[in-house]
Amino acid sequence: MNRISYVLVLIVGVLTCLQFIPHAFMGYPAILEHIRKGEINGEASMGMQMIWIYSSIMMLLTGVWMLFLAKPIKNGNYLARLQVLLLSIGLIAFGLGCSYIAQEFFNPMFFFTVEGILLLLAVTIFFRKDTNQQ
């Protein structure tokens, strides 16, 4: 039984789903405002809108997927563990990449690094494999 791992994956999944709300419903209008002001123009404006919609949807889907993986993690499932490990690596890479781009470690995307570290802890230190699986 991986109660701590389960809770960590559940918390990060819920937070990621909740992050979708401001990202989609506050961030997208902000992008449109930058386009209206001419700060983003030409083909970049169309691309930025498409990227923003895609990233909003993927943020929600990633959070939902973590919610689906929480129970198998609790049961010690190896394939769920691998999936959460990959999600954690992706979140950590994204967060650190944003820190590099922003040239400051604690930037608005730093929270993704924290989420990735929590998932990494869930599938490493706190994880116990199911002894009934091959």
Side-chain angles (χ1 to χ4, degrees), residues 24-70:
F25 298 109
M26 293 167 58
Y28 188 69
I31 293 298
L32 294 177
E33 181 64 21
H34 286 288
I35 292 169
R36 188 188 64 73
K37 289 179 181 177
E39 296 168 347
I40 304 171
N41 52 47
E43 287 186 31
S45 66
M46 185 174 44
M48 190 67 177
Q49 291 177 67
M50 290 178 194
I51 290 167
W52 204 271
I53 291 170
Y54 176 79
S55 63
S56 295
I57 292 168
M58 291 310 296
M59 186 179 293
L60 179 61
L61 290 176
T62 301
V64 169
W65 191 245
M66 285 183 232
L67 297 177
F68 280 118
L69 291 172

Side-chain angles (χ1 to χ4, degrees), residues 25 46 74 87 107:
F25 298 109
M46 185 174 44
K74 184 178 184 180
L87 287 169
N107 64 79

Side-chain angles (χ1 to χ4, degrees), residues 106-120:
F106 296 107
N107 64 79
M109 301 298 152
F110 175 73
F111 190 70
F112 289 101
T113 307
V114 173
E115 287 181 333
I117 292 169
L118 290 175
L119 290 179
L120 186 62

Side-chain angles (χ1 to χ4, degrees), residues 94-108:
F94 174 71
L96 292 177
C98 289
S99 292
Y100 176 76
I101 291 168
Q103 293 297 303
E104 56 182 75
F105 190 67
F106 296 107
N107 64 79

Side-chain angles (χ1 to χ4, degrees), residues 10-28:
L10 204 59
I11 288 170
V12 174
V14 168
L15 288 174
T16 304
C17 287
L18 290 174
Q19 288 170 326
F20 157 80
I21 296 167
H23 189 273
F25 298 109
M26 293 167 58
Y28 188 69

